[in-house]
Amino acid sequence: MLRLPSQPTPTEWTSNWKEIQPALRKVRRSMASLRTSSLKVMRVSQLDSDILDIELVDILKEQLWNALSLFKPTFKESFEPELIGLLNLVLFKLSIYDSSATYGSQLQNLKYRNEWKHGGAFESIAKDAPLTKAQKIAYGVLTVGGQYAWTRANRYITMKGWGELDESNIKYKIYNILQIGEKYWKAFSLLNFLIFLWNGRYRTLIDRILAIRLVYSKKSMNRQVSFEFLNRQMVWHAFTVSKTNYNQIIFYFTNFFFFCRNSCCFWCL
């Protein structure tokens, strides 16, 4: 292939690239010191995604309990924490671990990103840093494993009656430590939620600990709120109420004209 005389050789490009490296580093340092606008993610979208995830888990649990209805009732009661933990583990693998977003977050055009890579001037850059494998595993351990461990331990301690033992007993001390830990966790979760309402970052305490934040998956997509379902619900509710009143009126006149004809009758009223 012929090369025009005006075209530089590859060696010239390489030398020019090396020469401008100090200037590029200087520009990068100056850009890092500049103040940029903070990233704003709607709080209602983040909270709606959590509600959608809870509804999805409830639907799957209902299907699971229906499938296990033919088993002995003691089977469900004995292995309920394990079954729920397995269900949450499957959802975690198919959502957070594979795509860095829950199903509710995907419906709200949200995903998780590594906030450790977006400090200072890099908060609002176009490219989001993906979650590391360590962050995903830690999230699964704290959410799925933590919920299962707490539920199983709480059921075992309650069944054995550790809270009714003598205060000098080591089992009572463990029970007391768990109760105090639960109170502190709820207090810190409430504080984190208040901070979230103020700045819109880190919806849960686990998100803040792991520095994972919900951001828009597609920044060019505008949030569109559809009221079609709400309109249908309101129309259907009004229709059912009017139909109920109509049936009561028909029932009243039927009893009044064809039976007792007493306006003070209990059945007519």
Side-chain angles (χ1 to χ4, degrees), residues 177-243:
I177 291 173
L178 292 177
Q179 295 298 316
I180 295 174
E182 182 182 9
K183 292 178 181 179
Y184 276 108
W185 179 263
K186 291 182 178 179
F188 284 121
S189 298
L190 177 60
L191 179 61
N192 178 82
F193 185 72
L194 295 176
I195 297 175
F196 165 76
L197 294 179
W198 177 59
N199 58 14
R201 300 177 59 183
Y202 304 119
R203 182 187 58 187
T204 63
L205 188 59
I206 295 177
D207 294 352
R208 185 175 298 275
I209 294 173
L210 299 178
I212 57 177
R213 181 185 178 187
L214 283 173
V215 296
Y216 291 117
S217 179
K218 297 179 181 179
K219 297 180 175 59
S220 60
M221 183 181 297
N222 295 326
R223 182 177 185 270
Q224 297 179 356
V225 181
S226 177
F227 295 98
E228 182 179 359
F229 174 77
L230 181 60
N231 293 334
R232 288 186 197 173
Q233 189 71 15
M234 294 177 65
V235 172
W236 179 252
H237 177 70
F239 175 74
T240 53
V241 171
S242 61
K243 184 178 180 181

Side-chain angles (χ1 to χ4, degrees), residues 8-266:
T9 61
T11 56
E12 293 177 353
W13 281 107
T14 305
S15 60
N16 292 336
W17 174 254
K18 292 181 179 180
E19 290 177 358
I20 65 174
Q21 287 304 308
L24 288 176
R25 286 194 292 268
K26 185 177 180 180
V27 171
R28 291 193 186 100
R29 287 194 297 267
S30 62
M31 291 180 62
S33 61
L34 295 176
R35 295 186 60 183
T36 58
S37 59
S38 60
L39 179 62
K40 300 294 184 181
V41 181
M42 297 189 67
R43 299 164 180 80
V44 65
S45 298
Q46 301 182 57
L47 296 177
D48 285 344
S49 66
D50 188 35
I51 295 175
L52 291 172
D53 292 331
I54 295 174
E55 292 292 336
L56 175 61
V57 173
D58 291 338
I59 292 173
L60 294 178
K61 281 197 300 184
E62 182 180 359
Q63 297 297 324
L64 181 60
W65 302 151
N66 292 334
L68 297 176
S69 60
L70 299 178
F71 290 82
K72 294 182 178 179
T74 55
F75 178 81
K76 174 181 173 295
E77 296 176 359
S78 302
F79 298 98
E80 183 176 358
E82 285 75 14
L83 294 173
I84 295 177
L86 181 61
L87 180 63
N88 291 330
L89 181 61
V90 173
L91 289 176
F92 164 76
K93 173 60 175 64
L94 298 177
S95 58
I96 297 291
Y97 194 85
D98 290 344
S99 59
S100 298
T102 63
Y103 291 108
S105 301
Q106 295 177 23
L107 291 175
Q108 295 293 325
N109 187 31
L110 298 174
K111 67 176 182 179
Y112 280 112
R113 78 173 184 183
N114 185 4
E115 199 65 14
W116 281 330
K117 301 293 184 180
H118 292 273
F122 300 101
E123 181 180 1
S124 302
I125 60 177
K127 187 175 181 181
D128 297 321
L131 299 181
T132 63
K133 189 175 182 179
Q135 286 178 316
K136 294 179 180 180
I137 294 175
Y139 186 88
V141 170
L142 292 176
T143 54
V144 180
Q147 181 181 357
Y148 165 73
W150 174 255
T151 304
R152 174 53 68 184
N154 194 22
R155 292 184 63 174
Y156 180 81
I157 291 173
T158 304
M159 182 178 60
K160 296 298 182 180
W162 287 14
E164 301 176 358
L165 300 176
D166 188 70
E167 295 183 0
S168 59
N169 196 312
I170 185 64
K171 294 181 179 180
Y172 178 83
K173 293 180 180 179
I174 295 175
Y175 168 80
N176 194 25
I177 291 173
L178 292 177
Q179 295 298 316
I180 295 174
E182 182 182 9
K183 292 178 181 179
Y184 276 108
W185 179 263
K186 291 182 178 179
F188 284 121
S189 298
L190 177 60
L191 179 61
N192 178 82
F193 185 72
L194 295 176
I195 297 175
F196 165 76
L197 294 179
W198 177 59
N199 58 14
R201 300 177 59 183
Y202 304 119
R203 182 187 58 187
T204 63
L205 188 59
I206 295 177
D207 294 352
R208 185 175 298 275
I209 294 173
L210 299 178
I212 57 177
R213 181 185 178 187
L214 283 173
V215 296
Y216 291 117
S217 179
K218 297 179 181 179
K219 297 180 175 59
S220 60
M221 183 181 297
N222 295 326
R223 182 177 185 270
Q224 297 179 356
V225 181
S226 177
F227 295 98
E228 182 179 359
F229 174 77
L230 181 60
N231 293 334
R232 288 186 197 173
Q233 189 71 15
M234 294 177 65
V235 172
W236 179 252
H237 177 70
F239 175 74
T240 53
V241 171
S242 61
K243 184 178 180 181
T244 303
N245 296 333
Y246 175 77
N247 292 334
Q248 291 177 353
I249 294 173
I250 295 297
F251 181 75
Y252 171 78
F253 281 104
T254 302
N255 287 320
F256 181 76
F257 287 105
F258 295 98
F259 293 99
C260 64
R261 297 179 178 272
N262 185 2
S263 60
C264 297
C265 179
F266 172 78

